[in-house]
Amino acid sequence: MQVKEVWGALLRAAECSAKQAGSGAETAVEDTVAGVLLRYPHLSSEETTFVRNCAFNLSRFAALCEGAFQGYRDCYKRNSTYRPSMYLVAYLLIFQYRALGGATVREMFESSMPTPRLCEFVEFLLFSESVSRYAVPLWRAVYDDSFIQRHVLASLSSVADDATHDVLEWFHRQPSKSGTAVACPATEETAALDSTHLTLPPSSSAVPLRPLAGSRLPPNEVREMVFTVPEPRLPRIKSSPAPANAPLKREPTTPVGFSFHQREAAVSAAHSEKAAECSTSADQNTAQGGARLPPAQLRTMLSTSKSVPTTVAALWRERRAQERQRDNAERALRELEVTVHDSTEFDLWRQAQLEEEERRRQMEVLRRHLCAIEASDRARAQREQTMQARRRQIQRMRVQYHAEMQANRREQEHALREHEEHVQQLRSNLSRNCAAAVEKVAAEKCALAAQVKDESEQLRAAAQEAEEHRRTHQVLLIQEIHLLRERLREKHAAMGTERRRAWADGEVDAALGRMSQAELRDALERLCEEVATAEESRRQRVAEVRSRTQEKHERLERECIREREKKRRIRQANLAQRMAHRAAVEAERIQVETARMAQFHEKLETRLQAKRDAHRAAHETERQRRNEVLLCAQDGVSMERKRWSQYEAGLVRCAEGEQLRVLKEAQHLA
């Protein structure tokens, strides 16, 4: 398909549909398309049929395309340029996208208008919310709801995904083009030159921009406007008075749309000549001042999107510019009314404008009052929310504090219970150990006592046995002594008898073994000595046995005393060790409790200090922010007020100079 030729023919048909939408335009459109097709003889029959059908449908659905175009203008605050191209884009997207395909539609749309404007319009059509808000109310004035829902909105929703992928994303990836391949008609140039709408920056996302009509900036944006970087200052306005014969910098403004322009032919020749002379002098002064830019350059400048900063200074300058334009229009109308000697319609128009301005002022006051009420309600609600959040936070902190206190109390009770159980267990173990030790000591004592008793009994038995043995031996000795004495007595008696017999018989015969008296005395002495020696030896043996028994008894007694002292020392050492262990455990418990309480106190102090620091920092930040806002607001307001006062003073001086010049010219002409 010859895409460019088909697009050119359809664009011409769209121009005719846009111009003659309200009249019987079918014949005019058909004739125009037939004339255009004569310049493209190389088009095939299918392409020619397609162009004729599209041209006929464009004339049928001109109201639909007009509604889409007007909705786009209301949504994005655009002027009326590229109206035929947008007519054709809307028709192709709604009715012919499936038949042509994404590649062909993209090739047709390319270079039809600047890429940002094309992307904005396609996004507007594909986004159902913006279409329902701005275009559907305009369509309902001509078409019924069933047609809009079934044939328009359904078609747009069905091709939204494919068009977004094949057309929008492809154009977003391409570099932006400020110029167009198809020239705009003269009507579009005039509309572009006369339009005073501000253009917004092109959208690069699939969601259309939020309209600015009737919108109100929220308080946070108003606060942010104070911190924006101000624009460069305007050049200084010279305080020197304007020259007496200052040339005009531009032509006098000629208002349009009033009925008194139709009566200009009836004005006197003198006034016509005066107006002609004034216009001639103004043209000469304008020609001397500088030439105007060509229409193509102006159209390029107007079609280029420029972002307008939404600052207080920009809004103030825009308001002042609008007021100056209105004042200039009133001044031009007043001069023209004075020229034609008829100010009735001007007075009526001025009265209507004053009433409209008064009504606008009242609406503005009411809107500001409502905004103030809404802001106060919002601030009150925000304060309530803040207080509720703070109360909830305090309640949570209290609950958390009580929970921590209960947990600490439970932990302390558990630790105290464990300590008491441990102490009770230690006491029970100590009592059992003491009872066992007492029983053991008693058993050992009883065993030692029994052993000592046994040893004492043995010693007593041994002593008694020794005593009995001694007594028996003594008795035996006594008996032996008695026997010896008896024998000695018998011997003495026998010897006496023998001696008496010997004395009676004569001398003793020594050979017969008879002893003399001296021999007998010596033998008796020897026997006495032997008896004394034996008795002394027996006494020594008894004394030795007794001394050994006494020493053994003393030794056993010393051993018992030593064992008792040793057990007493062991018992005292164990008692001292238990007391030291108990004191160490108590000291450790007190130290742990003291450390835990100190740590808890330090944690509470840290939290309290952190809260104090946070509150102090927040208070200091809020105070600094308020001071900065006040300072910036005061500086910005004072600077803008001084700047605009100087600018107004310069305008007043220029107006006074202009009035003096006009008066001098009038006096000169008179």
Side-chain angles (χ1 to χ4, degrees), residues 271-439:
H271 295 290
S272 299
E273 292 177 359
K274 186 184 297 184
E277 290 177 0
C278 292
S279 62
T280 304
S281 61
D283 292 339
Q284 293 176 359
N285 294 332
T286 305
Q288 293 176 1
R292 295 181 61 183
L293 296 175
Q297 188 174 359
L298 286 175
R299 184 170 61 255
T300 303
M301 292 173 61
L302 291 174
S303 62
T304 304
S305 299
K306 297 293 183 180
S307 61
V308 179
T310 57
T311 60
V312 177
L315 297 176
W316 182 259
R317 284 194 293 272
E318 183 179 357
R319 178 66 179 274
R320 295 296 299 175
Q322 293 176 359
E323 291 180 357
R324 286 197 304 275
Q325 290 178 2
R326 187 169 58 253
D327 294 342
N328 293 334
E330 291 179 359
R331 190 182 303 109
L333 288 173
R334 193 181 300 110
E335 291 178 358
L336 191 57
E337 288 290 345
V338 170
T339 303
V340 298
H341 299 285
D342 187 5
S343 61
T344 303
E345 293 187 4
F346 173 74
D347 293 337
L348 295 176
W349 174 80
R350 184 173 59 182
Q351 184 66 24
Q353 291 294 325
L354 291 176
E355 293 176 357
E356 182 68 21
E357 187 67 24
E358 184 66 24
R359 186 165 58 256
R360 288 180 182 176
R361 189 179 297 108
Q362 292 178 0
M363 292 297 294
E364 183 68 19
V365 171
L366 181 60
R367 187 182 66 80
R368 290 181 180 177
H369 180 65
L370 293 177
C371 290
I373 294 175
E374 184 179 357
S376 63
D377 294 340
R378 188 164 53 252
R380 190 182 301 107
Q382 187 174 4
R383 285 197 301 271
E384 289 294 333
Q385 291 178 0
T386 305
M387 292 300 295
Q388 291 294 335
R390 187 173 299 173
R391 291 194 187 97
R392 288 194 296 270
Q393 184 179 4
I394 293 173
Q395 189 67 22
R396 286 197 301 270
M397 291 178 63
R398 287 180 178 175
V399 172
Q400 185 178 2
Y401 176 73
H402 288 306
E404 290 181 357
M405 291 297 294
Q406 291 179 1
N408 293 332
R409 191 180 298 109
R410 287 195 298 270
E411 184 179 356
Q412 292 177 1
E413 292 176 356
H414 182 67
L416 183 61
R417 194 181 304 109
E418 288 183 353
H419 179 68
E420 290 178 355
E421 291 177 357
H422 183 65
V423 171
Q424 189 67 24
Q425 185 178 2
L426 290 178
R427 287 179 179 175
S428 60
N429 294 334
L430 181 61
S431 62
R432 285 196 300 270
N433 294 334
C434 289
V438 169
E439 292 177 357

Side-chain angles (χ1 to χ4, degrees), residues 1 83 116 142 146 243 388 397 427 431 438 465 554 601:
M1 177 181 286
R83 181 193 297 265
V142 181
S146 61
Q388 291 294 335
M397 291 178 63
R427 287 179 179 175
S431 62
V438 169
E465 186 179 357
E554 292 177 357
H601 180 71

Side-chain angles (χ1 to χ4, degrees), residues 241-294:
N245 297 324
L248 290 176
K249 295 184 179 180
R250 56 180 298 179
E251 295 181 0
T253 304
T254 304
V256 295
F258 294 95
S259 61
F260 55 78
H261 289 292
Q262 301 175 3
R263 300 194 301 272
E264 290 183 357
V267 182
S268 61
H271 295 290
S272 299
E273 292 177 359
K274 186 184 297 184
E277 290 177 0
C278 292
S279 62
T280 304
S281 61
D283 292 339
Q284 293 176 359
N285 294 332
T286 305
Q288 293 176 1
R292 295 181 61 183
L293 296 175

